[in-house]
Amino acid sequence: MFLSQISSAGGFFYLVPLVVFFPVLGLLINIIFGGKTSEKLIGLVGCVAPGLSFVISVLLAISLAGHPEGITVPFVDWINIGELELPWAFRVDTLSVTMMLVVSGVGTLIHIYAVGYMHEDVRHHGDPGRYRRFFVFFNLFIAAMMVLVSADNYLMLFVGWEGVGLCSYLLIGFWYDKGKDGIGNAIAGKKAFITNRIGDFGFLIASFLMFWYFKSFAFEEVFAKAPEVAAAAPGVIFAITMFMLLGVTGKSAQLPLFVWLPDAMAGPTPVSALIHAATMVTAGVYLVARSYALYVLVPQAQAWVAIVGGITALLAATIAVGQFDIKKVLAYSTISQLGFMVAAVGMGAFVAGMFHLVTHAFFKALLFLSSGSVIQGLERGHHAVEHDPLLRKKMKHEHHFDPQDMRNMGGLRHRMKTTFWVYLIGALALAGIFPLAGFWSKDEILAEALHLNPTVYWLLTIAAFFTAFYMGRQIIMVFFGEPKSEPAAQAKESPAVMTTPLIVLAVLSLVGGLMNLPYVHSFTHWLEHSLHLEEATAVAETGEAMAEAAHATPWYVLGGLNLVVAGVSLGLALIAILIAWYFYTRRTAELQKLPVAKRPDDPLRGVLGPVFTVFENKYWVDEVYQAVIIKPYVKVSRFLAEKVDWAFWHDFFHDKIIVGGYNGLTWLLSKPFDLGVIDGFANSLGEGMQELAASLRKLQTGFVRNYALSVFIGVVVIISYLVLQLR
């Protein structure tokens, strides 16, 4: 759409490039001037940049009220090669603006939190330069994510897709000099980068196929041609959507490429909250939702997406049960909840998936940031213990204290009251307890699954049970009971710059469900302008489903809320929390009576036995990857490098064949041919010429009479020739 058309549409659509510009401006200011300014000013610039993007996103949302179908805003001519004419253009519709609001809004709160969190980091590690570097990377991530969600074509989306992958690598490995053997965090960053590149390869292949058959990357052109291409070559759309699924499994941490996200907890806690809870990992969900017009044409691909999401949700939820690292529990929880979203959009429940994406951004960012508050509270307690000889005597193994191990916590609700209450709200929202945000979005997915794919419904229902259990377990281990370490007993509450964003996110986790309440369905009406739900449903539904839809609404469905599904899920969640309460209060108290040597570190270990060990060791997935993929890959690489490349190619082929052959040919040309043939011929010719010259020299007598005789003979010969010619 041309600028004149944009103007005629009214509103603030022309401001959309600023959602990318402001974060870029923020990082440039800190790069250029940050070295000469104070820490407070660096943090201020870092926070204002995404805050201004949020303001622009709000203005765009207001503009969509009068122009709900959305608009494309061209920015610059980007690619013009042969048949490919692709501008750098921004897509402003209800789907993209929803993502802009989440990324910039939640991102701003996390930036504010990071001001306080990274101050503590700098204070403890004595490296002021890393403070500026952190906010530069943070702003860069926001800019890349804004490019991704505002793109009007798949190629521009891929640029943002790769941008967030790069930022993820930089931020996960931010403490690159920490971790196991001093390189553990750097390895975690590399693991995330490589794993995502595998998924990105799938997305890239999908893009190539798209251009080959559609001759375009633009959303509207691809979606318009999709039914025609599907009719002519049905396998093409299936291939494109399945390669996209590979990209989704990488970016959104689904089977089989989920292994990078737990290790990503090596980055600072704000990184975990921003990248691995609220924004980057949801890019895969957004990609499927954006590509709804392709997926509804291939039910087989939808089924695969839904199954992958369902299995991932259950697998990750069980692993979380056996973890002791407070952030690792939340990491596997994120993988599980992403499974809910992927399953939803895979089944065609795009609104339910996006609804859960938004609410999950609220309570999961809240939980990650709150866990960071807990960790730093214990670090402050540990610092106090180290500087107090009396307290230090009470603490065992102080040099090996892990502030992220929940076995070192307990009783923190008395020491960190604000953190406790916001953490409790986030945990209950994640568990799906009424009336918090997670209840409404999770149950909407479950209700859709029961109708569209019962297998996925049961996978997600069981996953929801485990979710409530491990969050109950975490709350009790961290905040209840007696402190299990001296640092926990001396823990201190975080400063206001960290707790204020937590309070805001807690409020959002409480009221987030209001976006799509039964009977109202505000969020559904909002997204239907972008997702064209009626059209999608018409394509996707079979005759049986249409007939079923014609029946009267059952009595247990009120305003779109399935009371049976909601009741079952809520009941299971409460049961799971009660079970967790029993094991980690009464059962734990009973185990305390046993000798220390016989006392298990977790009450579930004695009940579940080897099953708990399986959960604790994450089904040995990393070990299986190491044995099945990485080690054989390393062996093949070494064989190719040492035997094929060095021994064969370099030593044999290069040195013996190429170099030896060249030397032999050079010897042949230089000695036998050059010296023997060419030089022999030249020398013989020279000698012959010398002999001829010597013979001819004898004719040069120096007597005039001899020269006169020669002239006379010549004249006689010429006259004789002429006489003969005349005859």
Side-chain angles (χ1 to χ4, degrees):
M1 183 174 291
F2 298 102
L3 292 178
S4 59
Q5 295 173 295
I6 297 172
S7 300
S8 65
F12 303 96
F13 294 111
Y14 62 93
L15 297 177
V16 64
L18 296 179
V19 298
V20 177
F21 173 77
F22 283 132
V24 172
L25 180 62
L27 70 91
L28 290 176
I29 291 174
N30 275 332
I31 288 175
I32 299 172
F33 305 106
K36 302 178 182 178
T37 58
S38 66
E39 182 182 295
K40 290 183 179 179
L41 189 57
I42 293 172
L44 179 63
V45 172
C47 295
V48 168
L52 291 175
S53 291
F54 177 70
V55 172
I56 299 299
S57 301
V58 172
L59 293 176
L60 293 174
I62 295 172
S63 300
L64 285 172
H67 207 285
E69 67 274 14
I71 193 171
T72 296
V73 181
F75 187 57
V76 294
D77 289 332
W78 183 27
I79 300 176
N80 193 347
I81 305 173
E83 297 181 354
L84 181 59
E85 295 182 2
L86 199 63
W88 188 277
F90 297 90
R91 180 63 189 170
V92 184
D93 59 15
T94 54
L95 181 60
S96 65
V97 171
T98 297
M99 294 297 296
M100 292 180 197
L101 289 168
V102 171
V103 172
S104 59
V106 176
T108 301
L109 294 172
I110 297 172
H111 274 70
I112 296 171
Y113 173 94
V115 170
Y117 188 93
M118 296 309 296
H119 171 74
E120 294 286 321
D121 172 72
V122 172
R123 186 169 65 87
H124 284 119
H125 297 90
D127 185 6
R130 75 166 71 200
Y131 192 87
R132 177 177 61 154
R133 187 169 73 249
F134 178 84
F135 280 98
V136 168
F137 292 166
F138 239 31
N139 282 173
L140 180 62
F141 173 82
I142 293 290
M145 195 67 196
M146 283 301 190
V147 170
L148 190 157
V149 301
S150 65
D152 188 55
N153 57 78
Y154 283 103
L155 199 58
M156 181 176 167
L157 191 153
F158 186 76
V159 171
W161 186 277
E162 291 297 291
V164 296
L166 172 63
C167 294
S168 177
Y169 167 75
L170 295 173
L171 288 166
I172 293 170
F174 185 77
W175 293 329
Y176 58 86
D177 54 345
K178 296 173 60 179
K180 185 179 180 181
D181 300 325
I183 58 172
N185 291 3
I187 292 175
K190 184 175 68 173
K191 182 178 181 180
F193 189 80
I194 294 174
T195 306
N196 272 271
R197 296 294 75 71
I198 297 172
D200 296 351
F201 176 75
F203 188 12
L204 196 60
I205 295 297
S207 300
F208 290 157
L209 289 172
M210 194 179 299
F211 181 72
W212 184 264
Y213 285 95
F214 294 95
K215 306 301 180 185
S216 177
F217 291 109
F219 294 145
E220 292 186 358
E221 294 183 25
V222 170
F223 298 160
K225 296 179 181 178
E228 180 183 347
V229 174
V236 171
I237 305 297
F238 179 77
I240 291 173
T241 51
M242 292 303 292
F243 277 117
M244 279 187 183
L245 176 59
L246 180 58
V248 172
T249 60
K251 199 66 74 185
S252 292
Q254 301 292 286
L255 281 171
L257 300 180
F258 71 94
V259 293
W260 68 270
L261 195 145
D263 289 1
M265 298 302 107
T269 297
V271 174
S272 304
L274 180 64
I275 297 182
H276 309 119
T279 53
M280 172 183 157
V281 291
T282 61
V285 181
Y286 172 75
L287 176 63
V288 178
R290 175 59 73 187
S291 306
Y292 77 95
L294 300 178
Y295 278 94
V296 297
L297 296 174
V298 278
Q300 302 92 335
Q302 285 187 298
W304 274 105
V305 175
I307 289 295
V308 166
I311 295 175
T312 303
L314 179 57
L315 182 72
T318 58
I319 294 175
V321 171
Q323 303 307 303
F324 295 102
D325 187 304
I326 187 173
K327 289 176 64 177
K328 284 289 182 68
V329 173
L330 298 178
Y332 282 103
S333 170
T334 296
I335 298 172
S336 180
Q337 296 304 303
L338 288 168
F340 274 80
M341 302 175 211
V342 170
V345 295
M347 294 182 297
F350 300 107
V351 172
M354 291 300 301
F355 184 26
H356 197 56
L357 184 154
V358 176
T359 61
H360 177 264
F362 299 154
F363 57 73
K364 185 53 61 71
L366 170 62
L367 287 169
F368 266 116
L369 296 183
S370 299
S371 72
S373 178
V374 170
I375 293 168
Q376 287 206 344
L378 262 69
E379 288 179 342
R380 286 187 285 270
H382 187 224
H383 181 76
V385 170
E386 286 185 328
H387 290 79
D388 191 327
L390 296 177
L391 294 175
R392 192 163 60 245
K393 291 181 180 180
K394 300 179 181 180
M395 183 176 172
K396 300 179 180 180
H397 310 296
E398 66 267 17
H399 299 295
H400 306 285
F401 178 73
D402 183 359
Q404 297 184 195
D405 195 328
M406 295 188 297
R407 291 169 292 189
N408 294 328
M409 301 177 186
L412 292 181
R413 74 182 190 278
H414 302 301
R415 303 289 302 180
M416 306 180 70
K417 294 181 180 180
T418 302
T419 300
F420 163 66
W421 283 110
V422 296
Y423 208 115
L424 181 63
I425 291 172
L428 293 177
L430 175 58
I433 303 301
F434 178 87
L436 282 76
F439 167 82
W440 302 103
S441 57
K442 182 197 68 176
D443 281 11
E444 190 166 328
I445 293 176
L446 293 175
E448 293 282 2
L450 181 63
H451 173 68
L452 298 171
N453 196 322
T455 301
V456 173
Y457 167 77
W458 286 111
L459 290 172
L460 297 182
T461 298
I462 300 172
F465 172 84
F466 280 108
T467 301
F469 177 83
Y470 65 67
M471 289 312 300
R473 169 181 180 261
Q474 187 178 65
I475 287 289
I476 297 167
M477 291 184 69
V478 174
F479 294 102
F480 287 83
E482 297 298 322
K484 300 178 182 64
S485 66
E486 196 59 33
Q490 302 299 323
K492 297 180 181 179
E493 183 61 271
S494 298
V497 71
M498 294 174 61
T499 57
T500 300
L502 300 183
I503 295 171
V504 175
L505 288 168
V507 173
L508 292 173
S509 299
L510 283 169
V511 303
L514 297 176
M515 291 189 299
N516 210 40
L517 286 176
Y519 294 102
V520 182
H521 300 294
S522 302
F523 195 63
T524 301
H525 297 315
W526 168 260
L527 286 183
E528 68 184 1
H529 300 289
S530 298
L531 297 176
H532 304 289
L533 300 177
E534 296 180 357
E535 177 184 337
T537 303
V539 175
E541 283 184 335
T542 62
E544 182 181 353
M546 293 175 66
E548 184 180 345
H551 295 319
T553 303
W555 64 268
Y556 51 83
V557 178
L558 299 178
L561 175 64
N562 192 314
L563 296 179
V564 174
V565 171
V568 170
S569 65
L570 180 59
L572 289 174
L574 294 174
I575 291 172
I577 294 173
L578 288 175
I579 294 173
W581 182 266
Y582 168 76
F583 274 102
Y584 291 92
T585 53
R586 294 193 176 185
R587 181 62 179 166
T588 301
E590 295 173 1
L591 294 174
Q592 294 298 319
K593 301 176 183 179
L594 298 175
V596 177
K598 296 183 179 180
R599 191 183 305 165
D601 58 347
D602 192 288
L604 278 182
R605 195 182 297 277
V607 177
L608 299 180
V611 176
F612 185 85
T613 304
V614 172
F615 294 164
E616 184 183 14
N617 289 277
K618 301 161 286 188
Y619 295 91
W620 292 278
V621 172
D622 284 318
E623 288 78 5
V624 171
Y625 268 63
Q626 191 76 22
V628 176
I629 298 176
I630 297 176
K631 286 186 177 179
Y633 182 83
V634 171
K635 289 182 179 179
V636 171
S637 299
R638 287 178 176 172
F639 173 77
L640 293 175
E642 297 173 1
K643 303 297 184 182
V644 177
D645 182 40
W646 193 256
F648 173 76
W649 180 258
H650 184 271
D651 291 350
F652 176 74
F653 190 80
H654 179 268
D655 289 352
K656 291 184 170 59
I657 303 299
I658 298 178
V659 177
Y662 181 81
N663 291 337
L665 181 61
T666 302
W667 178 87
L668 179 65
L669 293 175
S670 64
K671 292 187 177 180
F673 186 75
D674 185 32
L675 296 179
V677 178
I678 298 178
D679 287 1
F681 175 76
N683 292 336
S684 298
L685 183 62
E687 292 174 358
M689 295 301 293
Q690 287 180 345
E691 293 177 0
L692 178 62
S695 301
L696 294 176
R697 278 176 59 191
K698 295 178 181 180
L699 299 176
Q700 304 291 330
T701 63
F703 296 106
V704 176
R705 61 180 177 271
N706 291 341
Y707 297 143
L709 179 61
S710 300
V711 172
F712 176 74
I713 293 173
V715 172
V716 172
V717 171
I718 292 171
I719 293 173
S720 300
Y721 175 78
L722 293 173
V723 171
L724 292 173
Q725 288 294 323
L726 291 172
R727 293 182 63 184

